[in-house]
Amino acid sequence: MVSASKLRRAQDRVINARPFADKMNQVLSELAAQTTDDFHHPLLDKRGDERYLVVLVTADKGLCGAFNANLIKAAQAFVKENPGKQIEWITVGRKGRDFFRRRGNIVAEYIRLTGKGRVEFGEALEVANDIIKRFTEDEAIDKVFLIFAEFKSVLTQRVVTEQLLPISRTTETEETSQAAKRDYIYEQPPAEVFRRLLPRLIDTQIFRALLESIASEQGARMTAMDAASKNAGELISTLTLNMNRVRQAAITREIIEIVSGASAL
C-alpha cells in the first residue's frame, strides 16, 4: 500500500518529465544543424576508447523483487562486453555501491537519493555536475555511460544502458531530422544557445533517469509485495490443511483406542 501511493506520485513525475526531455533533445538537434562544423565544446569532444565512467542507478533497499539484481546483471554484462577497458563507477543507490565496493573502482557514491521515493532537481543537478566536472577536467575519461531502469508499467521495467558523454551531434530519429530543417529565429547566435544548453541536457538526462528509477523501484516493490502476500496466503492455507489432517488423524486414533479398550473389557 505504501509503494502504491509512492508509485502514483512517481509515475506522475515521470510522465511530466518525459516531454521536457524529448523537447530538449529536439531543440539541441535543431541547434546542432545551425552550428558550423568547427564548433567546439568539451562535452562534444570525441576521445579514445580505453577508459569508461559508468553511472549505475539502483535502489537503497531490497524487497523489490529482481529490480536490483537485473541492474547489477546489466552492469556485469557491460563489463564482460568491454574486456580490457578501464571502468570506473559512480553508484547512485546503496545496493549498487555494496555490490561493486569489492568488485570495481568506485570513484563517487550517492546514497539516500531514491530511497525516500522522491528526488528533487537540485539533487540530480549535484550528480550531473559531478559527472560533467570529471569528464571535462580528466581528459583520460573517454566515455560516460548511464545504466538505469526505465519505467514501462507496474509489472514491466526495462534496463537501459546508454552513452551519456560525449554528446553526439548526429540525430537518428526521423522526427528530430525533420525538426532540424525548420527555420527558427534565435535572439542569440545558435552556437551560443547550443553551448548553454549542452550541460543542461546532462542535467535533464540524470534527473529523468532518477525519476524513472524511482517509479520502477516502487512498481517492482509493489509487485514483489503482492506476490509475497499471495505466497504467504497459499503457504498458510497449505499448513492449516496439513495441521487439520494431522489433528483429525490423532482424534481418530484416540477414538479407535478407546473403542478397542472398551471392547476388551
Side-chain angles (χ1 to χ4, degrees), residues 136-156:
T136 54
E137 294 183 355
D138 190 354
E139 296 184 356
I141 298 177
D142 297 320
K143 296 179 181 180
V144 179
F145 292 88
L146 178 63
I147 301 176
F148 67 99
E150 183 181 31
F151 178 78
K152 292 295 184 182
S153 66
V154 177
L155 299 175
T156 307

Side-chain angles (χ1 to χ4, degrees), residues 174-238:
E174 182 179 354
E175 180 181 355
T176 54
S177 63
Q178 292 178 355
K181 298 178 182 179
R182 300 170 185 166
D183 186 15
Y184 286 90
I185 298 176
Y186 298 96
E187 293 185 359
Q188 296 181 354
E192 180 64 24
V193 180
F194 191 42
R195 188 187 310 276
R196 295 288 185 89
L197 286 183
L198 281 174
R200 193 72 172 181
L201 175 63
I202 305 301
D203 302 341
T204 304
Q205 288 179 321
I206 293 298
F207 185 49
R208 178 182 176 180
L210 293 179
L211 293 178
E212 296 274 2
S213 179
I214 291 175
S216 299
E217 177 189 348
Q218 298 304 327
R221 192 181 305 280
M222 189 175 69
T223 303
M225 292 299 99
D226 181 63
S229 299
K230 291 180 179 179
N231 293 336
E234 294 176 359
L235 182 60
I236 291 173
S237 299
T238 302

Side-chain angles (χ1 to χ4, degrees), residues 23-256:
K23 193 65 177 180
M24 174 71 74
N25 291 328
Q26 179 183 336
V27 170
L28 284 174
S29 66
E30 297 166 359
L31 290 169
Q34 298 290 331
T35 57
T36 59
D37 295 336
D38 59 350
F39 177 83
H40 174 265
H41 193 278
L43 300 182
L44 298 173
D45 288 344
K46 293 184 178 180
R47 303 174 182 176
D49 194 34
E50 298 296 331
R51 185 179 173 189
Y52 294 166
L53 178 63
V54 182
V55 183
L56 175 62
V57 183
T58 59
D60 284 333
K61 301 178 182 179
L63 299 178
C64 49
F67 176 78
N68 292 310
N70 291 335
L71 288 166
I72 292 175
K73 287 180 181 178
Q76 290 179 304
F78 179 84
V79 175
K80 293 181 180 179
E81 293 170 0
N82 296 277
K85 309 297 184 182
Q86 183 181 353
I87 300 178
E88 299 175 349
W89 300 90
I90 293 180
T91 57
V92 180
R94 192 183 306 274
K95 292 298 182 179
R97 189 278 309 271
D98 293 344
F99 183 84
F100 283 101
R101 174 177 286 177
R102 298 181 180 179
R103 298 176 177 88
N105 181 17
I106 299 178
V107 297
E109 59 183 55
Y110 295 89
I111 310 298
R112 293 186 293 274
L113 283 185
T114 61
K116 58 183 180 295
R118 180 182 178 89
V119 63
E120 302 297 337
F121 183 74
E123 297 172 327
L125 191 63
E126 181 182 355
V127 180
N129 289 338
D130 186 15
I131 296 171
I132 294 174
K133 181 179 179 181
R134 292 179 185 276
F135 183 78
T136 54
E137 294 183 355
D138 190 354
E139 296 184 356
I141 298 177
D142 297 320
K143 296 179 181 180
V144 179
F145 292 88
L146 178 63
I147 301 176
F148 67 99
E150 183 181 31
F151 178 78
K152 292 295 184 182
S153 66
V154 177
L155 299 175
T156 307
Q157 300 86 34
R158 184 172 70 95
V159 178
V160 177
T161 302
E162 62 183 18
Q163 180 175 326
L164 197 63
L165 291 170
I167 300 173
S168 175
R169 294 184 58 173
T170 60
T171 57
E172 299 179 357
T173 62
E174 182 179 354
E175 180 181 355
T176 54
S177 63
Q178 292 178 355
K181 298 178 182 179
R182 300 170 185 166
D183 186 15
Y184 286 90
I185 298 176
Y186 298 96
E187 293 185 359
Q188 296 181 354
E192 180 64 24
V193 180
F194 191 42
R195 188 187 310 276
R196 295 288 185 89
L197 286 183
L198 281 174
R200 193 72 172 181
L201 175 63
I202 305 301
D203 302 341
T204 304
Q205 288 179 321
I206 293 298
F207 185 49
R208 178 182 176 180
L210 293 179
L211 293 178
E212 296 274 2
S213 179
I214 291 175
S216 299
E217 177 189 348
Q218 298 304 327
R221 192 181 305 280
M222 189 175 69
T223 303
M225 292 299 99
D226 181 63
S229 299
K230 291 180 179 179
N231 293 336
E234 294 176 359
L235 182 60
I236 291 173
S237 299
T238 302
L239 293 176
T240 302
L241 180 61
N242 291 336
M243 180 189 69
N244 291 335
R245 287 176 177 175
V246 172
R247 178 173 172 269
Q248 185 64 39
I251 294 174
T252 303
R253 185 173 59 253
E254 291 177 1
I255 293 175
I256 292 174

